[in-house]
Amino acid sequence: MNLRNMVDEQTPLKRFLFQDLPTLEHIVDFYQKSSGVMKRRILSCIFQEKLYFNEEKDATIIFTKPIEVI
C-alpha cells in the first residue's frame, strides 16, 4: 500500500472526526430546527425501515449499518 492510498483511506475518518462528529453532538437541536424533509432524511440515516407505532406490539428497530457500528 502506498502513501497516497493511506491518505485516501484516512480522509473519510478525518471527515467523520472533524465534521460529522461535531454535528452528531448537536443532532437534537439540528433535528428540532429542521424541515420535515430533513427530519425524514435524518431518520432514514438512522433507521433501516420506516417506523410504525402500535400500542399492542413492541417495535423491532433495525438500524442502518453505520449506526450499528457506532
Side-chain angles (χ1 to χ4, degrees), residues 48-61:
Q48 190 167 346
E49 298 176 353
K50 187 173 181 178
L51 297 177
Y52 295 96
F53 296 98
N54 184 343
E55 292 180 14
E56 298 174 8
K57 295 181 180 180
D58 290 333
T60 302
I61 299 171

Side-chain angles (χ1 to χ4, degrees), residues 1-67:
M1 180 179 286
N2 64 32
L3 183 60
R4 171 105 176 139
N5 288 341
M6 288 175 58
V7 170
D8 290 343
E9 288 178 7
Q10 291 178 0
T11 301
L13 179 60
K14 286 181 182 178
R15 179 174 176 246
F16 174 74
L17 291 174
F18 297 109
Q19 294 177 5
D20 298 338
L21 198 56
T23 301
L24 288 175
E25 291 176 7
H26 305 288
I27 193 71
V28 173
D29 293 331
F30 181 74
Y31 181 84
Q32 290 174 341
K33 294 175 184 175
S34 296
S35 66
V37 172
M38 184 57 72
K39 287 178 181 179
R40 275 187 248 129
R41 288 181 183 170
I42 293 169
L43 292 175
S44 69
C45 291
I46 298 169
F47 303 107
Q48 190 167 346
E49 298 176 353
K50 187 173 181 178
L51 297 177
Y52 295 96
F53 296 98
N54 184 343
E55 292 180 14
E56 298 174 8
K57 295 181 180 180
D58 290 333
T60 302
I61 299 171
I62 302 171
F63 296 106
T64 59
K65 291 293 179 189
I67 296 299

